[in-house]
Amino acid sequence: MSIEYESLKKKYFELFDGKLEYFDFIITDVLFAYKEISEIIKKQEIKRVLEVGCGTGILIRELKENFKDVDFTGLDPNQSGFHHYEKISEKILKLDKSININKCSIENFNFKGKYDLIFSFNVFEHVDNQDEYILRTMSLLENKGLNIIFAPNYDFPYEPHFLIPILLNKKLTKKIFRKRIENYESKNNEKGLWDALKFTGKSSIKKFLNKKNIDFEFDQEIYDRMIKRAEEDKFFYKRQGLAAKLAIFGKKIYLDKLIFNFLKIPHPYFKLTITK
């Protein structure tokens, strides 16, 4: 039930109009996300799954092909047009009429049933009202259902989209790195990306969940898996640049133990599992 880069390239590369860098950007995330989610489906009694922010739709198509008894739904309003996901998803829908993708936000999504699993990858930091997002997704879960969020942890002073350190706050960081931010948004056709990002960290999320008496757990091993990904995935390694090199080097000399275990500096990425 695993998937590989080369097999996905044969199936989907032509949908990307020959843009290898763009294809690698999407597919390497699909490979990582597939491994994470497929492991959950194997271990749990999952019958109905919702992906929030399904983007191209490739991930839920691959999951559906390998878990035929599970019902998968994708949700993505494509309002920002970031990475031109909608163009790819339209091509995917033409290839596979059975794929269920709804072009609306989670707030406007109407569904009479409930889901056993709701998940999102690198979407939470783009959500305008994150507290409402958590409550809304919780309302769509079956009892004992899982709501899983993968996202950057902004308690760690680093912005992974632009690959820059966060200097005190978002406003000051933009002032200092304005040219780099503008160049990135222009190159990737993502105007407004910086302003739309929500610099939310684990600490504030944890505070909200405790206030609402919601059962949750942060995966303490996700950082190790991200390092392993950087070591094994040359496309992800290249994309993360200096950050990946420093992370791998730090782990080899056990600097990560000093930073995260002794000094208690937060990990730069989190996986949050909320149980209803």
Side-chain angles (χ1 to χ4, degrees):
M1 289 187 179
S2 63
I3 57 176
E4 299 178 349
Y5 174 86
E6 289 301 329
S7 63
L8 295 183
K9 189 174 182 180
K10 289 178 181 178
K11 290 171 69 174
Y12 299 114
F13 182 61
E14 63 179 21
L15 304 182
F16 289 78
D17 299 324
K19 299 176 181 177
L20 182 59
E21 185 177 355
Y22 179 32
F23 171 81
D24 288 339
F25 180 91
I26 299 296
I27 293 302
T28 51
D29 277 355
V30 168
L31 288 166
F32 181 75
Y34 180 91
K35 186 174 182 180
E36 292 286 329
I37 297 301
S38 62
E39 287 298 318
I40 296 168
I41 296 174
K42 290 175 189 176
K43 295 176 182 178
Q44 304 287 335
E45 191 173 337
I46 304 292
K47 294 298 181 183
R48 188 173 288 145
V49 178
L50 174 67
E51 180 187 5
V52 181
C54 66
T56 63
I58 291 175
L59 175 57
I60 59 169
R61 188 188 188 206
E62 289 301 309
L63 286 167
K64 183 178 178 63
E65 287 188 357
N66 289 287
F67 296 94
K68 298 187 183 302
D69 294 332
V70 180
D71 178 53
F72 292 93
T73 298
L75 191 65
D76 202 317
N78 289 300
Q79 292 175 332
S80 62
F82 290 167
H83 299 298
H84 307 290
Y85 288 158
E86 188 171 14
K87 294 180 181 179
I88 305 297
S89 67
E90 288 175 350
K91 294 176 182 178
I92 293 292
L93 289 170
K94 289 179 180 179
L95 287 175
D96 191 340
K97 302 294 184 182
S98 68
I99 297 296
N100 184 14
I101 296 178
N102 295 268
K103 295 182 181 181
C104 67
S105 65
I106 187 71
E107 295 82 6
N108 298 321
F109 181 52
N110 294 315
F111 184 70
K112 295 180 180 179
K114 301 285 185 177
Y115 291 95
D116 303 303
L117 171 64
I118 298 175
F119 72 90
S120 64
F121 267 91
N122 303 331
V123 170
F124 192 69
E125 69 271 25
H126 302 283
V127 173
D128 186 45
N129 190 324
Q130 295 170 329
D131 293 348
E132 287 300 319
Y133 172 87
I134 290 173
L135 295 176
R136 174 58 177 154
T137 48
M138 288 286 290
S139 72
L140 294 172
L141 281 178
E142 293 277 9
N143 287 332
K144 297 185 179 180
L146 302 177
N147 181 13
I148 301 180
I149 299 171
F150 296 80
N153 175 23
Y154 288 105
D155 286 342
F156 185 85
Y158 178 71
E159 208 306 297
H161 299 79
F162 295 87
L163 308 181
I164 57 176
I166 298 172
L167 305 178
L168 293 181
N169 55 51
K170 186 177 179 180
K171 183 177 181 180
L172 178 62
T173 303
K174 182 178 182 180
K175 184 176 181 179
I176 294 175
F177 291 101
R178 180 178 297 277
K179 192 66 177 177
R180 183 183 180 94
I181 291 169
E182 291 176 349
N183 287 342
Y184 179 92
E185 292 184 343
S186 176
K187 177 184 176 181
N188 295 281
N189 193 25
E190 296 184 354
K191 185 174 177 56
L193 174 60
W194 176 269
D195 291 335
L197 288 171
K198 300 294 180 293
F199 282 18
T200 304
K202 286 173 61 174
S203 57
S204 60
I205 298 170
K206 185 176 180 179
K207 183 177 180 181
F208 172 76
L209 294 172
N210 282 328
K211 182 180 179 180
K212 295 294 183 179
N213 294 315
I214 295 173
D215 185 16
F216 70 94
E217 181 181 14
F218 283 103
D219 187 339
Q220 300 303 316
E221 298 178 355
I222 186 65
Y223 181 71
D224 291 332
R225 298 202 297 280
M226 292 296 286
I227 295 295
K228 185 177 181 181
R229 180 186 178 189
E231 291 174 329
E232 298 178 351
D233 183 344
K234 63 181 181 180
F235 308 106
F236 181 71
Y237 177 84
K238 179 181 178 181
R239 193 169 93 204
Q240 293 301 314
L242 181 61
K245 295 178 182 178
L246 291 175
I248 293 172
F249 177 73
K251 189 169 182 63
K252 286 181 178 179
I253 63 172
Y254 298 99
L255 183 61
D256 60 326
K257 302 297 183 185
L258 172 65
I259 293 173
F260 300 124
N261 295 352
F262 183 73
L263 298 178
K264 302 298 182 182
I265 294 175
H267 288 163
Y269 195 78
F270 71 80
K271 173 191 172 185
L272 168 64
T273 300
I274 299 172
T275 305
K276 185 170 181 178

